Protein backbone atom coordinates (compact mmCIF):
# COMPACT_ATOMS: atom_id res chain seq x y z
CA UNK A 1 0.00 0.00 0.00
CA UNK A 2 1.29 3.46 -0.86
CA UNK A 3 1.41 6.32 1.68
CA UNK A 4 -0.96 8.33 -0.55
CA UNK A 5 -3.58 5.57 -0.54
CA UNK A 6 -3.36 5.23 3.24
CA UNK A 7 -3.70 9.01 3.57
CA UNK A 8 -7.00 8.94 1.68
CA UNK A 9 -8.18 5.93 3.69
CA UNK A 10 -7.63 8.00 6.84
CA UNK A 11 -9.58 10.89 5.31
CA UNK A 12 -12.36 8.47 4.30
CA UNK A 13 -12.64 7.09 7.83
CA UNK A 14 -12.86 10.59 9.31
CA UNK A 15 -15.46 11.61 6.71
CA UNK A 16 -17.64 8.50 7.04
CA UNK A 17 -17.57 8.77 10.82
CA UNK A 18 -18.63 12.42 10.61
CA UNK A 19 -21.45 11.64 8.15
CA UNK A 20 -22.78 8.78 10.30
CA UNK A 21 -22.83 11.03 13.37
CA UNK A 22 -24.64 13.77 11.45
CA UNK A 23 -27.24 11.36 10.00
CA UNK A 24 -27.99 10.08 13.50
CA UNK A 25 -28.22 13.66 14.77
CA UNK A 26 -30.73 14.58 12.03
CA UNK A 27 -32.84 11.50 12.76
CA UNK A 28 -32.88 12.41 16.44
CA UNK A 29 -33.73 16.05 15.79
CA UNK A 30 -36.84 15.01 13.85
CA UNK A 31 -38.27 13.63 17.09
CA UNK A 32 -37.83 16.80 19.15
CA UNK A 33 -41.46 17.76 18.63
CA UNK A 34 -42.95 14.32 19.27
CA UNK A 35 -45.86 14.04 21.66
CA UNK A 36 -44.83 13.05 25.17
CA UNK A 37 -45.70 9.39 25.94
CA UNK A 38 -48.69 8.95 28.22
CA UNK A 39 -46.58 7.45 31.02
CA UNK A 40 -44.50 10.64 31.07
CA UNK A 41 -47.31 13.16 30.75
CA UNK A 42 -46.67 14.46 34.28
CA UNK A 43 -42.98 15.22 33.69
CA UNK A 44 -43.56 18.52 31.86
CA UNK A 45 -46.49 20.88 31.65
CA UNK A 46 -47.09 22.68 28.33
CA UNK A 47 -44.72 25.59 29.04
CA UNK A 48 -41.98 23.38 30.46
CA UNK A 49 -42.16 21.09 27.43
CA UNK A 50 -41.75 24.08 25.10
CA UNK A 51 -38.69 25.07 27.11
CA UNK A 52 -37.36 21.52 26.85
CA UNK A 53 -37.86 21.52 23.07
CA UNK A 54 -36.13 24.89 22.75
CA UNK A 55 -33.20 23.60 24.81
CA UNK A 56 -32.84 20.48 22.65
CA UNK A 57 -33.01 22.47 19.41
CA UNK A 58 -30.54 25.10 20.60
CA UNK A 59 -28.04 22.44 21.66
CA UNK A 60 -28.52 20.54 18.40
CA UNK A 61 -27.84 23.64 16.30
CA UNK A 62 -24.80 24.48 18.39
CA UNK A 63 -23.50 20.90 18.16
CA UNK A 64 -23.88 20.96 14.36
CA UNK A 65 -21.78 24.12 14.17
CA UNK A 66 -19.04 22.90 16.51
CA UNK A 67 -18.77 19.43 14.94
CA UNK A 68 -18.61 20.90 11.42
CA UNK A 69 -15.93 23.36 12.57
CA UNK A 70 -13.85 20.53 14.10
CA UNK A 71 -14.26 18.34 11.01
CA UNK A 72 -13.25 21.07 8.56
CA UNK A 73 -10.34 22.12 10.79
CA UNK A 74 -9.14 18.50 10.90
CA UNK A 75 -9.29 18.16 7.11
CA UNK A 76 -7.40 21.44 6.63
CA UNK A 77 -4.75 20.24 9.09
CA UNK A 78 -4.36 16.97 7.17
CA UNK A 79 -4.15 18.50 3.70
CA UNK A 80 -1.83 21.30 4.85
CA UNK A 81 0.70 18.76 6.22
CA UNK A 82 0.00 20.00 9.73
CA UNK A 83 1.49 16.91 11.39
CA UNK A 84 4.76 17.41 9.50
CA UNK A 85 4.91 21.06 10.53
CA UNK A 86 4.34 20.26 14.21
CA UNK A 87 6.78 17.33 14.07
CA UNK A 88 9.47 19.56 12.52
CA UNK A 89 8.79 22.18 15.20
CA UNK A 90 9.18 19.59 17.97
CA UNK A 91 12.40 18.21 16.46
CA UNK A 92 13.89 21.70 16.34
CA UNK A 93 13.97 21.67 20.16
CA UNK A 94 15.33 18.21 20.89
CA UNK A 95 16.69 14.94 19.52
CA UNK A 96 15.15 12.92 22.34
CA UNK A 97 12.14 10.93 21.07
CA UNK A 98 10.21 11.27 24.33
CA UNK A 99 10.65 15.05 24.50
CA UNK A 100 9.77 15.33 20.79
CA UNK A 101 6.54 13.36 21.40
CA UNK A 102 5.62 15.46 24.43
CA UNK A 103 6.16 18.71 22.51
CA UNK A 104 4.26 17.30 19.50
CA UNK A 105 1.15 16.31 21.46
CA UNK A 106 1.42 19.40 23.65
CA UNK A 107 1.28 21.72 20.62
CA UNK A 108 -1.62 19.83 19.01
CA UNK A 109 -3.68 19.63 22.21
CA UNK A 110 -3.00 23.23 23.20
CA UNK A 111 -3.84 24.46 19.70
CA UNK A 112 -7.03 22.41 19.61
CA UNK A 113 -8.08 23.62 23.06
CA UNK A 114 -7.46 27.27 22.19
CA UNK A 115 -9.60 26.94 19.05
CA UNK A 116 -12.47 25.15 20.81
CA UNK A 117 -12.49 27.13 24.08
CA UNK A 118 -14.71 29.91 22.63
CA UNK A 119 -17.34 27.24 21.90
CA UNK A 120 -17.28 25.80 25.43
CA UNK A 121 -17.37 29.35 26.82
CA UNK A 122 -20.42 30.15 24.68
CA UNK A 123 -22.18 26.94 25.71
CA UNK A 124 -21.59 27.64 29.40
CA UNK A 125 -22.28 31.37 29.58
CA UNK A 126 -24.85 31.75 26.80
CA UNK A 127 -26.80 28.51 26.25
CA UNK A 128 -26.67 27.06 29.78
CA UNK A 129 -27.18 30.55 31.20
CA UNK A 130 -30.20 31.20 28.98
CA UNK A 131 -31.96 28.05 30.19
CA UNK A 132 -31.13 28.60 33.85
CA UNK A 133 -28.53 25.87 34.34
CA UNK A 134 -25.25 27.74 34.62
CA UNK A 135 -23.97 28.65 38.07
CA UNK A 136 -20.31 28.82 37.09
CA UNK A 137 -18.40 32.08 37.28
CA UNK A 138 -15.85 33.16 34.69
CA UNK A 139 -13.16 32.68 37.35
CA UNK A 140 -14.26 29.07 37.91
CA UNK A 141 -14.39 28.43 34.16
CA UNK A 142 -10.80 29.58 33.59
CA UNK A 143 -9.48 27.89 36.74
CA UNK A 144 -11.06 24.60 35.60
CA UNK A 145 -9.38 25.07 32.23
CA UNK A 146 -5.98 25.73 33.85
CA UNK A 147 -6.29 22.76 36.23
CA UNK A 148 -7.30 20.53 33.30
CA UNK A 149 -4.18 21.56 31.39
CA UNK A 150 -1.94 20.90 34.39
CA UNK A 151 -3.45 17.45 34.98
CA UNK A 152 -3.08 16.58 31.30
CA UNK A 153 0.57 17.68 31.33
CA UNK A 154 1.46 15.88 34.56
CA UNK A 155 -0.57 12.67 34.26
CA UNK A 156 -0.99 12.36 30.49
CA UNK A 157 2.58 13.42 29.80
CA UNK A 158 4.00 10.98 32.35
CA UNK A 159 1.99 8.02 31.03
CA UNK A 160 2.93 8.82 27.41
CA UNK A 161 6.62 9.20 28.30
CA UNK A 162 6.70 5.84 30.11
CA UNK A 163 4.92 4.04 27.23
CA UNK A 164 7.39 5.44 24.68
CA UNK A 165 10.26 4.39 26.95
CA UNK A 166 8.79 0.87 27.08
CA UNK A 167 8.59 0.91 23.27
CA UNK A 168 12.23 1.93 22.91
CA UNK A 169 13.43 -0.68 25.40
CA UNK A 170 11.32 -3.68 24.39
CA UNK A 171 10.20 -3.09 20.79
CA UNK A 172 7.01 -4.92 19.80
CA UNK A 173 6.60 -6.32 23.32
CA UNK A 174 6.05 -2.81 24.69
CA UNK A 175 2.28 -3.42 24.72
CA UNK A 176 2.60 -5.90 27.61
CA UNK A 177 4.37 -3.38 29.86
CA UNK A 178 2.11 -0.55 28.68
CA UNK A 179 -0.91 -2.72 29.50
CA UNK A 180 0.38 -3.38 33.02
CA UNK A 181 1.01 0.34 33.46
CA UNK A 182 -2.50 1.24 32.27
CA UNK A 183 -3.98 -1.46 34.49
CA UNK A 184 -2.23 -0.18 37.61
CA UNK A 185 -3.14 3.39 36.69
CA UNK A 186 -6.84 2.50 36.12
CA UNK A 187 -7.11 0.69 39.45
CA UNK A 188 -5.35 3.54 41.24
CA UNK A 189 -7.69 6.13 39.70
CA UNK A 190 -10.75 4.02 40.56
CA UNK A 191 -9.60 3.81 44.16
CA UNK A 192 -8.40 7.35 44.75
CA UNK A 193 -10.09 9.58 42.14
CA UNK A 194 -12.50 10.97 44.72
CA UNK A 195 -9.69 11.73 47.15
CA UNK A 196 -7.06 13.10 44.78
CA UNK A 197 -8.72 14.55 41.67
CA UNK A 198 -12.20 15.67 42.72
CA UNK A 199 -10.94 18.02 45.49
CA UNK A 200 -9.04 19.99 42.84
CA UNK A 201 -12.36 21.02 41.32
CA UNK A 202 -15.03 20.61 43.99
CA UNK A 203 -15.52 20.72 47.72
CA UNK A 204 -16.66 17.45 49.30
CA UNK A 205 -18.10 17.27 52.80
CA UNK A 206 -19.39 14.27 54.76
CA UNK A 207 -23.19 14.06 54.84
CA UNK A 208 -24.39 15.61 58.09
CA UNK A 209 -26.36 13.66 60.67
CA UNK A 210 -30.08 13.97 60.15
CA UNK A 211 -33.12 12.45 58.47
CA UNK A 212 -31.39 11.73 55.15
CA UNK A 213 -28.28 10.12 56.64
CA UNK A 214 -30.41 8.04 59.00
CA UNK A 215 -32.61 6.84 56.12
CA UNK A 216 -29.56 5.91 54.02
CA UNK A 217 -27.90 4.04 56.89
CA UNK A 218 -31.15 2.22 57.64
CA UNK A 219 -31.41 1.06 54.03
CA UNK A 220 -27.72 0.07 53.89
CA UNK A 221 -28.12 -2.03 57.05
CA UNK A 222 -31.22 -3.69 55.57
CA UNK A 223 -29.35 -4.89 52.47
CA UNK A 224 -26.14 -5.70 54.34
CA UNK A 225 -24.15 -3.02 52.60
CA UNK A 226 -21.36 -1.50 54.65
CA UNK A 227 -21.20 2.19 53.93
CA UNK A 228 -18.96 4.57 55.85
CA UNK A 229 -18.33 7.24 53.25
CA UNK A 230 -21.27 9.37 52.15
CA UNK A 231 -20.21 12.75 50.78
CA UNK A 232 -21.96 15.81 49.45
CA UNK A 233 -20.29 17.62 46.55
CA UNK A 234 -20.92 21.27 45.67
CA UNK A 235 -22.25 20.62 42.17
CA UNK A 236 -24.28 23.83 42.40
CA UNK A 237 -20.96 25.65 42.03
CA UNK A 238 -21.25 25.05 38.27
CA UNK A 239 -24.76 23.90 37.39
CA UNK A 240 -28.26 23.30 38.69
CA UNK A 241 -28.24 19.78 37.21
CA UNK A 242 -28.21 16.99 39.79
CA UNK A 243 -26.34 13.71 40.01
CA UNK A 244 -25.07 10.97 42.32
CA UNK A 245 -22.33 8.44 41.76
CA UNK A 246 -20.49 5.53 43.30
CA UNK A 247 -16.70 5.36 43.21
CA UNK A 248 -13.97 3.07 44.41
CA UNK A 249 -14.32 -0.41 45.86
CA UNK A 250 -13.34 -2.28 48.99
CA UNK A 251 -12.46 0.03 51.88
CA UNK A 252 -12.22 2.97 49.47
CA UNK A 253 -15.81 2.81 48.19
CA UNK A 254 -17.87 5.94 48.66
CA UNK A 255 -21.17 7.42 47.57
CA UNK A 256 -21.22 11.03 46.44
CA UNK A 257 -24.39 13.13 46.29
CA UNK A 258 -24.60 16.44 44.48
CA UNK A 259 -26.01 19.17 46.70
CA UNK A 260 -28.46 19.91 43.87
CA UNK A 261 -29.78 16.35 44.20
CA UNK A 262 -30.47 16.89 47.89
CA UNK A 263 -32.24 20.15 47.09
CA UNK A 264 -34.35 18.69 44.26
CA UNK A 265 -35.48 15.39 45.77
CA UNK A 266 -37.24 14.21 48.91
CA UNK A 267 -35.56 11.87 51.36
CA UNK A 268 -37.24 8.68 50.09
CA UNK A 269 -36.40 9.61 46.49
CA UNK A 270 -32.73 10.14 47.36
CA UNK A 271 -32.60 6.78 49.13
CA UNK A 272 -34.13 5.20 46.02
CA UNK A 273 -31.38 6.76 43.88
CA UNK A 274 -28.79 5.44 46.35
CA UNK A 275 -30.41 2.01 46.22
CA UNK A 276 -29.88 2.09 42.45
CA UNK A 277 -26.19 2.95 42.95
CA UNK A 278 -25.81 0.22 45.58
CA UNK A 279 -27.36 -2.13 43.02
CA UNK A 280 -24.51 -1.39 40.62
CA UNK A 281 -22.02 -2.32 43.34
CA UNK A 282 -23.83 -5.44 44.54
CA UNK A 283 -24.29 -6.69 40.97
CA UNK A 284 -20.51 -6.31 40.40
CA UNK A 285 -21.04 -3.79 37.57
CA UNK A 286 -18.12 -1.63 38.69
CA UNK A 287 -15.74 -4.60 38.70
CA UNK A 288 -17.08 -5.79 35.33
CA UNK A 289 -16.56 -2.36 33.76
CA UNK A 290 -13.03 -2.12 35.16
CA UNK A 291 -12.04 -5.59 33.91
CA UNK A 292 -13.66 -5.02 30.51
CA UNK A 293 -11.89 -1.68 30.18
CA UNK A 294 -8.56 -3.34 30.96
CA UNK A 295 -9.18 -6.11 28.42
CA UNK A 296 -10.12 -3.60 25.72
CA UNK A 297 -7.02 -1.56 26.54
CA UNK A 298 -4.84 -4.67 26.24
CA UNK A 299 -6.44 -5.61 22.92
CA UNK A 300 -5.94 -2.09 21.54
CA UNK A 301 -2.29 -1.96 22.65
CA UNK A 302 -1.63 -5.39 21.11
CA UNK A 303 -3.10 -4.31 17.76
CA UNK A 304 -1.07 -1.09 18.02
CA UNK A 305 2.13 -3.12 18.53
CA UNK A 306 1.52 -4.89 15.21
CA UNK A 307 1.44 -1.65 13.22
CA UNK A 308 3.43 0.95 15.14
CA UNK A 309 6.77 -0.10 13.58
CA UNK A 310 5.52 0.50 10.04
CA UNK A 311 7.04 3.63 8.40
CA UNK A 312 3.91 3.71 6.25
CA UNK A 313 1.89 5.24 9.09
CA UNK A 314 4.24 8.21 9.38
CA UNK A 315 4.67 8.60 5.62
CA UNK A 316 0.89 8.70 5.15
CA UNK A 317 0.83 11.84 7.31
CA UNK A 318 3.67 13.43 5.36
CA UNK A 319 6.35 12.79 7.97
CA UNK A 320 9.57 11.27 6.60
CA UNK A 321 11.08 10.28 9.96
CA UNK A 322 9.06 7.37 11.42
CA UNK A 323 8.15 7.83 15.08
CA UNK A 324 5.90 6.40 17.76
CA UNK A 325 3.87 9.58 18.15
CA UNK A 326 3.06 9.97 14.44
CA UNK A 327 2.24 6.27 14.15
CA UNK A 328 -0.06 6.63 17.15
CA UNK A 329 -2.06 9.36 15.40
CA UNK A 330 -2.53 7.32 12.20
CA UNK A 331 -3.36 4.16 14.14
CA UNK A 332 -5.93 6.00 16.26
CA UNK A 333 -7.84 6.99 13.13
CA UNK A 334 -7.57 3.51 11.56
CA UNK A 335 -8.88 2.04 14.82
CA UNK A 336 -11.97 4.31 14.83
CA UNK A 337 -14.39 1.72 13.32
CA UNK A 338 -13.40 -0.85 15.96
CA UNK A 339 -13.67 1.67 18.81
CA UNK A 340 -17.11 2.69 17.51
CA UNK A 341 -18.29 -0.92 17.58
CA UNK A 342 -16.92 -1.51 21.09
CA UNK A 343 -18.58 1.73 22.25
CA UNK A 344 -21.95 0.53 20.96
CA UNK A 345 -21.50 -2.85 22.65
CA UNK A 346 -20.49 -1.24 25.97
CA UNK A 347 -23.48 1.11 25.81
CA UNK A 348 -25.75 -1.89 25.22
CA UNK A 349 -24.29 -3.66 28.27
CA UNK A 350 -24.53 -0.44 30.30
CA UNK A 351 -28.25 -0.15 29.54
CA UNK A 352 -28.74 -3.74 30.74
CA UNK A 353 -26.88 -2.88 33.93
CA UNK A 354 -29.12 0.14 34.50
CA UNK A 355 -32.19 -2.10 34.36
CA UNK A 356 -30.56 -4.49 36.84
CA UNK A 357 -29.71 -1.64 39.22
CA UNK A 358 -33.28 -0.30 38.92
CA UNK A 359 -34.66 -3.76 39.69
CA UNK A 360 -32.37 -4.05 42.70
CA UNK A 361 -33.68 -0.72 44.01
CA UNK A 362 -37.27 -1.85 43.39
CA UNK A 363 -36.78 -5.18 45.16
CA UNK A 364 -34.83 -3.86 48.15
CA UNK A 365 -36.53 -0.48 48.57
CA UNK A 366 -39.46 0.74 46.42
CA UNK A 367 -40.15 1.50 42.77
CA UNK A 368 -42.40 4.52 43.32
CA UNK A 369 -39.82 6.94 44.83
CA UNK A 370 -37.29 5.86 42.19
CA UNK A 371 -39.78 6.61 39.41
CA UNK A 372 -40.54 9.98 41.00
CA UNK A 373 -36.84 10.80 41.29
CA UNK A 374 -36.16 9.86 37.65
CA UNK A 375 -39.01 12.07 36.49
CA UNK A 376 -37.83 15.01 38.58
CA UNK A 377 -34.22 14.68 37.44
CA UNK A 378 -35.32 14.48 33.79
CA UNK A 379 -37.54 17.51 34.20
CA UNK A 380 -34.89 19.59 35.96
CA UNK A 381 -32.31 18.85 33.26
CA UNK A 382 -34.80 19.33 30.37
CA UNK A 383 -34.01 15.83 29.12
CA UNK A 384 -35.09 14.52 25.73
CA UNK A 385 -37.97 12.11 26.41
CA UNK A 386 -38.42 11.00 22.78
CA UNK A 387 -35.03 10.15 21.23
CA UNK A 388 -34.82 8.28 17.93
CA UNK A 389 -34.37 4.53 18.53
CA UNK A 390 -31.20 4.26 16.44
CA UNK A 391 -29.67 7.31 18.13
CA UNK A 392 -30.50 5.78 21.51
CA UNK A 393 -28.98 2.43 20.47
CA UNK A 394 -25.68 4.01 19.40
CA UNK A 395 -25.14 6.72 22.02
CA UNK A 396 -27.23 6.09 25.14
CA UNK A 397 -25.50 4.45 28.11
CA UNK A 398 -28.83 4.56 30.02
CA UNK A 399 -32.26 3.42 28.82
CA UNK A 400 -34.73 6.19 28.08
CA UNK A 401 -36.88 7.43 30.94
CA UNK A 402 -39.95 5.77 29.38
CA UNK A 403 -38.27 2.35 29.22
CA UNK A 404 -36.94 2.59 32.77
CA UNK A 405 -40.37 3.47 34.12
CA UNK A 406 -42.06 0.70 32.12
CA UNK A 407 -39.51 -1.75 33.54
CA UNK A 408 -40.06 -0.50 37.11
CA UNK A 409 -43.85 -0.73 36.74
CA UNK A 410 -43.82 -4.35 35.58
Amino acid sequence: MSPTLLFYILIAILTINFIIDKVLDVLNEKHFDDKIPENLADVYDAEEYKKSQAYKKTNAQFSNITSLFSFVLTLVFFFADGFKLVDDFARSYSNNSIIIALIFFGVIMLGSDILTTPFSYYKTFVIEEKFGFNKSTKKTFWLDKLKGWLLTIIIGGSVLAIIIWFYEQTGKNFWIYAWILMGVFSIFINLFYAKLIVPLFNKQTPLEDGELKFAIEKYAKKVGFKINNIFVIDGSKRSTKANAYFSGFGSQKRITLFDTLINDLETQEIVAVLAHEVGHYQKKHIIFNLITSLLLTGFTLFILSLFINSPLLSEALGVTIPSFHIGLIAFGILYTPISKITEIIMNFISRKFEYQADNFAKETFDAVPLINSLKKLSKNSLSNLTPHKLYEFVYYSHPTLLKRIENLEK
Side-chain angles (χ1 to χ4, degrees), residues 34-44 375 385-386 401-402 405-406 409:
D34 284 3
K35 183 180 178 182
I36 297 179
E38 194 173 317
N39 281 15
L40 307 180
D42 57 339
V43 175
Y44 297 121
K375 286 183 175 180
L385 303 183
T386 57
L401 177 62
L402 178 63
I405 289 176
E406 287 176 343
E409 290 180 339

Side-chain angles (χ1 to χ4, degrees), residues 43-44 374-383 385 401:
V43 175
Y44 297 121
L374 292 173
K375 286 183 175 180
K376 285 183 180 179
L377 293 173
S378 293
K379 173 186 175 181
N380 292 347
S381 61
L382 299 178
S383 297
L385 303 183
L401 177 62

Side-chain angles (χ1 to χ4, degrees), residues 216-326:
I216 292 173
E217 290 175 342
K218 180 182 177 182
Y219 168 77
K221 185 177 180 180
K222 173 187 171 184
V223 297
F225 183 77
K226 188 176 181 181
I227 179 168
N228 300 320
N229 301 315
I230 310 173
F231 286 85
V232 179
I233 191 172
D234 59 341
S236 58
K237 177 181 179 181
R238 292 177 181 81
S239 175
T240 62
K241 295 178 181 178
N243 196 10
Y245 63 88
F246 207 110
S247 60
F249 44 84
S251 62
Q252 296 299 320
K253 67 178 182 289
R254 66 162 65 187
I255 288 175
T256 303
L257 307 173
F258 279 48
D259 55 357
T260 46
L261 185 85
I262 295 175
N263 294 333
D264 291 348
L265 303 183
E266 297 175 5
T267 297
Q268 292 295 93
E269 293 166 350
I270 296 173
V271 176
V273 171
L274 263 293
H276 171 93
E277 297 299 331
V278 170
H280 280 307
Y281 189 87
Q282 298 289 61
K283 296 290 183 179
K284 311 298 183 187
H285 296 162
I286 295 172
I287 300 296
F288 176 89
N289 287 336
L290 179 60
I291 292 174
T292 305
S293 174
L294 291 175
L295 290 175
L296 286 173
T297 299
F299 174 74
T300 304
L301 287 169
F302 172 69
I303 300 298
L304 173 63
S305 72
L306 301 178
F307 294 95
I308 196 66
N309 282 324
S310 173
L312 183 63
L313 295 180
S314 296
E315 291 170 5
L317 296 181
V319 179
T320 54
I321 304 175
S323 62
F324 185 92
H325 58 275
I326 297 295

Side-chain angles (χ1 to χ4, degrees), residues 349-367:
I349 294 171
S350 176
R351 291 193 295 271
K352 294 295 182 184
F353 284 173
E354 291 302 318
Y355 284 131
Q356 291 177 17
D358 281 349
N359 290 338
F360 181 87
K362 176 172 66 173
E363 292 159 7
T364 60
F365 190 65
D366 189 4

Side-chain angles (χ1 to χ4, degrees), residues 27 77 91 101 116 127 134 140 154 156 211 240 257 271 286 304 320 322 329 339 364-365 373 389 395:
L27 289 174
F77 196 77
R91 290 182 184 281
T116 56
I127 296 177
N134 180 49
T140 299
I154 295 170
E211 179 189 359
T240 62
L257 307 173
V271 176
I286 295 172
L304 173 63
T320 54
I329 295 285
S339 64
T364 60
F365 190 65
S373 68
K389 290 183 179 180
Y395 295 117

Side-chain angles (χ1 to χ4, degrees), residues 109-154:
M109 292 179 68
L110 181 61
S112 175
D113 198 64
I114 289 173
L115 290 170
T116 56
T117 291
F119 292 108
S120 58
Y121 186 91
Y122 182 87
K123 181 172 174 59
T124 300
F125 293 105
V126 177
I127 296 177
E128 296 295 293
E129 187 81 32
K130 177 181 177 182
F131 289 92
F133 291 126
N134 180 49
K135 294 297 179 183
S136 180
T137 63
K138 292 177 176 61
K139 178 182 177 181
T140 299
F141 178 87
W142 291 113
L143 278 176
D144 285 350
K145 182 72 66 177
L146 180 60
K147 292 172 186 176
W149 284 344
L150 290 174
L151 283 176
T152 300
I153 292 168
I154 295 170

